[in-house]
Amino acid sequence: MFLEQLSGNLVQGVVLGSVYGMATMGLSLIFGVLKVVNVGHGAFVMVGAFVALFFFNTLGLNPIFAIPAAFAVGIALGLTFYYAAIRKLLHAPELATLLATFSAGVLLEETIKMIFGSEFRGYNWDVGNIDLVFTALPMSKILAALGSVLIAVLLYVWFKRTRAGSAMRSVVEDSQGARVCGINVDGVYAMSFALGIGLTVASGVLLTMFIPVGINPYMGGGYTLKAFVIAVLGGLSSPYGAFFGGLVFGLIENTSYTVFALIPGVEPFALTRFLSFLILLIILLIRPTGIIKAK
Amino acid sequence: MLTVQALESGYGAMQVLWHPELEIEKGSITSLLGPNGAGKSTLLETILGSVRPWGGQVLYENRDITFLSSHRKVEMGLALVPEGKHLFPNMTVYENLLMGAYLKKAYEHREESLDIVYTLFPRLKERSRQMAGLLSGGEQQMTTIGRALMTKPRLMMLDEPSQGLAPKLAAEVFETIEKLKSDIGLTILLVEQNADASLGAADYAYIMHEGKIKASGTPDEIKASREIREAFLGV
Ligand SMILES: Nc1ncnc2c1ncn2[C@@H]1O[C@H](COP(=O)(O)OP(=O)(O)OP(=O)(O)O)[C@@H](O)[C@H]1O
Ligand SMILES: [Mg+2]
């Protein structure tokens, strides 16, 4: 009985974890290329959730179509935000970009609140369940996980095989070196920032598969915190590291939930969250560069 | 080939360049000497545009390129071998060289450029699959020069290419620079701390101090002037 539950949670952990991983790739990409910490990360995730909601409830469309739409919205937001603020702040002290991304998050939250209101909403995309021997999983979650893996693979191929991807890698390794190769470093910054925000907003669509009634303008905060734990697990500046960090985090979250539920008198949900941040603290103390070596 | 007039630039509010003037003849090696902090690196970076010029003029092949962006200048055949190498440590030597051929025209000629680089530095061919971060200092310097060659430059600016190298390797770097001029026909602007070796290779030399050009002349003239040597070169 316990083992069955545990293996069920392992599977659910991997499913949730791959979505968490994908939802952190944008954060790591932006940090890796620009050394900017996007404190407003969760608000961009929230925008993606609202794109999904809009597609499903207002347009009556399959949330799968919301993924490319959210990605496009993210690219547009990212470019606007980059040229309006980030670009001018890259050489300023770090606090400047922290404040800018924080305020962008607040701005997005309040804008969405004005348009859609602040109550909790959700949608139910019912595409059936998959029955494994030890657990049943909604098909929508499986699709979200597969979508996440697909996006991660596409990003990897794009990075390794395209000209723009190689320009981006070279800027990550040495921006002055990239410049003397004739690479438009400012252009790469703009592109990376837009791509990072695009991925983040798109991930918001995928995450809605896990929160049936949790869509709200202020839902982002928890994701910002989780994304930081995951990014640190994955080594901060590598999107692939972030993806594997997400898997590890999903597993820990799900497994510990099961284990804590067995202890009488313990509130498993709260304790799971506590454990996540305990992990963050421990990693930062012993291996601040992350535990997973990607590359 | 390159004319610098009354250039101004700096970092933040601090002005570093105070109207240096120089003229570089096509097909020559021009040496730029001066003490630490004179602004030599800043001058090269300002010419390339990685440090933004505040004013003045840079003419390249009779075109005003002062405020063009760096990638446009690289495309026009201006290359910089930066101080401190700036290789891509997690890419192989081959990948580093190929990044030099990033721009379209350079990419079309990548095979010939690669031949040129491997002929000049046979060592890099042997090391082509090794990560650049694991190379010896001398090999890293070859890779940096090789990567700059891959951009198909006509004018190459080198910032202290012999820095940190053992005397024998440093001498090889100077031989290489002379070959870049004689065999490949490049025009060279060379910044060096090693005044003797640099003057030995150069056709003309400028002395920079506190952001200005304080003296210039042929290497023989510079060497013959006790005043210049004592005031600026400390030899
Ligand atoms: N990135 C930077 N930010 C702020 N100040 C800088 C920067 N780079 C150089 N400086 C300052 O500009 C002045 C000129 O430096 P520069 O590096 O151009 O000198 P240099 O002649 O190349 O010296 P060296 O022989 O030591 O390489 C120095 O006072 C230096 O401290
Ligand atoms: Mg210097």
Side-chain angles (χ1 to χ4, degrees):
Chain A
M1 172 58 204
F2 172 70
L3 267 185
E4 259 181 26
Q5 204 175 3
L6 197 64
S7 34
N9 267 280
L10 282 179
V11 173
Q12 295 195 352
V14 169
V15 166
L16 176 64
S18 46
V19 178
Y20 275 167
M22 192 265 154
T24 309
M25 292 176 93
L27 183 82
S28 295
L29 179 70
I30 290 172
F31 182 77
V33 179
L34 294 99
K35 302 288 171 250
V36 166
V37 178
N38 179 14
V39 199
H41 180 78
F44 291 98
V45 171
M46 177 274 298
V47 171
F50 272 87
V51 172
L53 192 70
F54 180 75
F55 262 65
F56 195 82
N57 284 355
T58 312
L59 303 178
L61 286 171
N62 188 320
I64 301 269
F65 296 122
I67 297 171
F71 184 70
V73 167
I75 296 276
L77 279 177
L79 283 176
T80 311
F81 186 30
Y82 179 79
Y83 283 109
I86 299 295
R87 183 184 190 201
K88 302 176 185 76
L89 302 176
L90 281 178
H91 302 290
E94 261 163 28
L95 185 62
T97 51
L98 288 177
L99 286 173
T101 54
F102 178 76
S103 359
V106 174
L107 188 70
L108 285 174
E109 286 171 355
E110 297 308 318
T111 311
I112 294 287
K113 187 178 126 189
M114 274 186 346
I115 303 174
F116 294 95
S118 62
E119 68 271 25
F120 279 89
R121 299 135 168 276
Y123 68 92
N124 183 17
W125 184 42
D126 192 355
V127 274
N129 287 317
I130 284 197
D131 257 319
L132 301 172
V133 188
F134 40 83
T135 186
L137 268 175
M139 192 63 194
S140 57
K141 289 189 183 180
I142 306 253
L143 288 175
L146 289 177
S148 299
V149 174
L150 180 70
I151 290 168
V153 169
L154 284 178
L155 186 71
Y156 183 82
V157 172
W158 185 82
F159 242 113
K160 293 280 173 184
R161 294 267 176 270
T162 69
R163 210 170 104 90
S166 73
M168 211 182 261
R169 275 193 297 146
S170 71
V171 172
V172 173
E173 295 221 357
D174 194 308
S175 59
Q176 174 67 351
R179 195 171 274 118
V180 302
C181 289
I183 288 163
N184 178 356
V185 174
D186 184 53
V188 169
Y189 284 158
M191 176 174 71
S192 313
F193 194 81
L195 182 62
I197 298 292
L199 287 167
T200 304
V201 176
S203 77
V205 175
L206 298 166
L207 280 164
T208 56
M209 315 287 172
F210 296 82
I211 42 166
V213 288
I215 302 175
N216 169 280
Y218 303 112
M219 65 187 266
Y223 291 112
T224 305
L225 289 172
K226 282 182 193 178
F228 282 146
V229 181
I230 293 166
V232 168
L233 270 169
L236 260 180
S237 55
S238 151
Y240 320 119
F243 191 82
F244 292 110
L247 280 179
V248 172
F249 188 81
L251 281 170
I252 294 174
E253 208 179 73
N254 254 293
T255 313
S256 60
Y257 190 87
T258 313
V259 174
F260 289 146
L262 296 174
I263 308 173
V266 157
E267 215 277 278
F269 185 75
L271 205 59
T272 299
R273 187 171 272 200
F274 167 75
L275 183 74
S276 312
F277 297 108
L278 191 65
I279 294 168
L280 176 64
L281 198 68
I282 293 171
I283 297 170
L284 286 176
L285 284 174
I286 56 171
R287 285 272 326 251
T289 50
I291 51 163
I292 296 165
K293 273 257 170 284
K295 272 185 194 172
Chain B
M1 176 152 200
L2 188 87
T3 308
V4 172
Q5 281 165 352
L7 204 56
E8 292 181 356
S9 81
Y11 306 93
M14 181 183 74
Q15 183 163 353
V16 173
L17 297 186
W18 297 87
H19 313 117
E21 310 262 342
L22 62 161
E23 178 83 49
I24 293 166
E25 287 295 325
K26 195 172 164 57
S28 69
I29 296 180
T30 303
S31 162
L32 180 63
L33 299 167
N36 290 110
K40 305 177 299 293
S41 300
T42 306
L43 175 58
L44 300 196
E45 303 250 14
T46 310
I47 292 173
L48 187 77
S50 44
V51 168
R52 194 178 47 83
W54 297 357
Q57 223 177 22
V58 180
L59 298 174
Y60 172 71
E61 294 177 334
N62 300 320
R63 284 181 59 186
D64 183 349
I65 61 160
T66 320
F67 297 103
L68 292 184
S69 48
S70 310
H71 60 277
R72 283 285 298 126
K73 292 179 183 173
V74 173
E75 200 172 21
M76 292 168 75
L78 202 64
L80 171 66
V81 175
E83 190 173 11
K85 305 184 183 88
H86 294 280
L87 288 173
F88 309 121
N90 297 311
M91 296 189 197
T92 64
V93 169
Y94 174 76
E95 288 171 320
N96 266 274
L97 293 175
L98 219 58
M99 283 312 300
Y102 175 79
L103 291 171
K104 198 156 166 277
K105 228 168 69 208
Y107 188 74
E108 282 163 10
H109 294 94
R110 67 191 182 283
E111 297 296 337
E112 338 158 8
S113 300
L114 211 54
D115 272 349
I116 292 172
V117 172
Y118 285 156
T119 310
L120 197 61
F121 305 116
R123 185 69 158 272
L124 292 188
K125 194 168 187 176
E126 297 162 24
R127 292 279 183 277
S128 65
R129 285 164 183 282
Q130 187 163 334
M131 289 294 163
L134 302 174
L135 295 172
S136 73
E139 292 164 344
Q140 286 191 359
Q141 196 51 265
M142 293 176 200
T143 312
T144 324
I145 296 174
R147 186 181 65 181
L149 274 175
M150 296 294 292
T151 66
K152 281 202 79 62
R154 295 194 287 279
L155 172 71
M156 189 185 281
M157 305 186 282
L158 298 106
D159 198 347
E160 305 202 17
S162 76
Q163 192 182 38
L165 297 182
K168 187 169 164 290
L169 287 171
E172 281 178 25
V173 167
F174 285 102
E175 275 170 38
T176 304
I177 292 167
E178 292 188 57
K179 274 195 213 162
L180 293 176
K181 171 182 130 176
S182 58
D183 300 1
I184 308 176
L186 290 187
T187 306
I188 305 279
L189 174 55
L190 173 62
V191 165
E192 262 299 337
Q193 291 284 337
N194 184 340
D196 275 339
S198 185
L199 288 173
D203 300 299
Y204 201 77
Y206 288 90
I207 312 290
M208 192 169 190
H209 185 61
E210 293 175 342
K212 300 183 188 71
I213 297 296
K214 293 287 184 164
S216 67
T218 62
D220 290 339
E221 287 166 358
I222 303 279
K223 281 186 224 164
S225 164
R226 216 193 138 89
E227 233 172 284
I228 294 177
R229 283 187 0 235
E230 284 180 355
F232 304 114
L233 304 178
V235 287

